[in-house]
Amino acid sequence: MTAVASHRFDALFEPRGVIVAGASSHPGKFGFVALHNILRHEYGGAVFATNREGGEILGVTACTSIDDLPASAADLVFVCTPAAANVELMRACAKKGVGAAFVTSAGYGEAGEEGRRAERELVELAEELGMLLVGPNGQGVVSTPVSLCAQIVAPYPPRGRIAIVSQSGNFVSSFQNYAVQTGVGVSRAVSAGNAAAVTVPDFLEYYAADPETSVALAYVEGVVDGRAFYEQVRRVAERKPLVLLKGGRTGGGQRAAASHTGALASDERVFEGMCRQAGVTLAGSVEEAFEAAATFATQPLPRGPRVAVLTTAGGWGVVTADAVVRSELELAPLPDDLRTVIDAKLPPRWSRNNPIDLAGAETRDTIPEVLELAAGHDDIDAVVYLGLGIQSNQARLMRTGPFFPDHGLERIVAYHERQDERFARAAADVSLATGKPVLTATELAVTDPDNAGPRTVRATGRLCYPSSNRAVIALEHLWRYARYGMRRARA
Amino acid sequence: MTRTLSEAESKRVLAGHGVPVLDERLAATPDEAVAAADGLGYPVVVKACGAGIAHKTERGLVRLGLADATAVRSAAADVLAAVDASDGPVELLIAPMVRGTRELIAGLHDDPQFGRCVMVGLGGILAEAVGDVAFRLVPVEPVDVDEMLEELGAQAILGEFRGEPPVERAALGEVLLGLSHFAESDPAVVAVDVNPLVVVDGRPVAVDALVEVAE
């Protein structure tokens, strides 16, 4: 099918009002949960509900028929009715000026020949009515700019710049759970369900044009028309980064083939090649996909591959340097002039190389100063900073122990926490000032998210990476995307 | 239905799209094989060549390093004796014996989802077991080709190697661009295997090749 015109998605993502069709008073039913979630997150538009018996649900008076609703008051109908009721429902909604239907109902393409027939009928009806049909068998849609949480699952993510689409509704939840945890937010999210009419790449094309979105994140399994998919994702990646998570990557590798080339052409290898050719970055796991998207959403693109690692302790730096060397990034040779200026600030036990290992020799202002010097150097394209939060971790032991606040503990605890806050802010400030990525990694991001270090990273709107390896992999996604653009712009 | 071209015909077609091949001669008899070898200079290779011939090495239909006319005559007779009516028309292909430590593979594949793709990777008999390959969809641009080569795990193979000069990436890239162009110019092409694509003095040359076309 041809791509869906962008403006038709406005009814889905920026509706003036929403109708929950098949609203229920039973809190276990989808028709209740959907209405609850819309009201719970204070969607600003009008909210309507229909129910065969009428009545009041969560303070909303349910109509027994769409015909009783005012015209042009709702752009989106959220369909929780049984499949058999949906043809009549959509016709009635179209008369009221509804432009989009999100269909949660099951019993369609996933349910045998009869279901496939009903799905085709639904798609044809939507085309006839000029209505955007999403699903069926989908879990919902989220649009944070208008506080819309029309879904039958949790959570509702913080507002942000990542736009999500998934062939599997549960991955929408997974990605949004990470958004809640990390604080790196979401603009739009949609579960494409059976994607009978609007497909995953259709949504991606909308995201490419969406001013609320700076990176698209998608989960795909089957691709119906590979060439069309390639053309669409390539167009998307020309405008914005696109991170893909692909299910079923290892299947089909052993297909019988007469030629060596054919035998080597596993689905995974061809898909990976297609992604690289399209400028799409392919992630190997759910967390990698989210973290790559979160990095695109919150860090500038690197202008080159040269990474400096700044650490307060040796082992972390060594492991991180190994990860950089394994990646498509490069460990920058420490520039001589940078070595000289750092020499002037530190006793000689620091590493005098990259990783820049301060070896515990840092004083009050060393970390912000070295961050600034490293990121500011022309021969360094990105910085990974390790060791944030160690002092606050010790402060926590003091604060929660029996000697606090006496023996000078109150003062030192406050000092440590203040310092980690400063360092986290410095990482963000230096990144903004230099236009280079500065990634902060510590396991405290997950082991003690309230630690002043990771807490402050979140407050700057950035991701605190749970390990340096994960930071390096996320940065590698940015570099691949940046390099793709640089090479083609020159060509 | 598809049909495979003979090795000689496959190479002729590929050479037309810029894939470097050796100066090779066809011969029908051991005498003609010797004449061809005399013309090429020794040592040479003698192979069975026909549209129905596959798995040449496994069947003993490739004889390498033949140093003189006697060796060629005897190898040619052996090869002709080893084929039978089920192989269809068979000729002898006489080729110069090239020396190169590094064997690559290049090809075209018709993917059920994405259509025709270009491939490059580590070749030779271990190609499938090693699986160090990169794919792109037809058509490919020069920048895609550069990135395919960069993507291969065994970068050391492309550099200076055991006393041999580095692989000329541009020349290797031309092979891949040529395959892409071949696919674009002929919708009937469904598969190409160039294996091995031997690196001789830094430049790739197709030592064996097979083209499969739809009928």
Side-chain angles (χ1 to χ4, degrees), chain A residues 221-227 229-230 234 246 255 257-267 269-274 276-278 328 480 483-484 487-488 491, chain B residues 105-109 111-117 119 122 124 127-128 130-133 135-140 143-144 147 150-151 191-195 210 212:
Chain A
E221 281 172 13
V223 171
V224 183
D225 179 345
R227 280 285 161 165
F229 183 89
Y230 167 70
R234 186 174 177 132
K246 172 77 165 68
R255 104 168 47 88
S259 66
H260 297 280
T261 306
L264 284 159
S266 67
D267 291 353
R269 288 179 182 136
V270 172
F271 196 88
E272 182 176 353
M274 180 278 294
R276 285 187 179 255
Q277 195 170 0
E328 292 172 25
R480 282 184 184 174
R483 183 181 60 191
Y484 180 94
R487 284 177 173 168
R488 269 103 187 141
Chain B
I105 180 171
L108 282 172
H109 163 69
D111 184 77
Q113 276 195 315
F114 291 99
R116 292 180 301 170
C117 318
M119 186 206 71
L122 251 57
E128 286 167 45
V130 173
D132 187 4
V133 292
F135 284 86
R136 293 293 185 273
L137 312 190
V138 169
V140 294
V143 62
D144 299 317
E147 289 181 347
E150 203 176 88
E151 200 175 310
V192 172
D193 247 353
V194 181
N195 186 32
L210 184 131
E212 189 181 350

Side-chain angles (χ1 to χ4, degrees), chain A residues 328-402:
Chain A
E328 292 172 25
L329 299 161
E330 293 167 17
L331 194 65
L334 192 71
D336 290 336
D337 55 337
L338 186 54
R339 183 181 296 109
T340 307
V341 282
I342 302 176
D343 266 339
K345 293 178 182 296
L346 285 173
R349 71 169 185 271
W350 78 282
S351 64
R352 307 192 75 246
N353 214 327
N354 185 17
I356 304 169
D357 176 9
L358 304 178
E362 66 272 20
T363 53
R364 190 179 169 281
D365 298 320
T366 314
I367 287 172
E369 284 173 2
V370 176
L371 272 174
E372 193 173 346
L373 288 167
H377 199 283
D378 285 344
D379 297 337
I380 288 172
D381 300 305
V383 178
V384 176
Y385 163 45
L386 315 169
L388 180 72
I390 335 180
Q391 297 301 343
S392 297
N393 208 26
Q394 174 57 39
R396 178 187 162 145
L397 274 191
M398 291 172 165
R399 187 195 284 285
T400 55

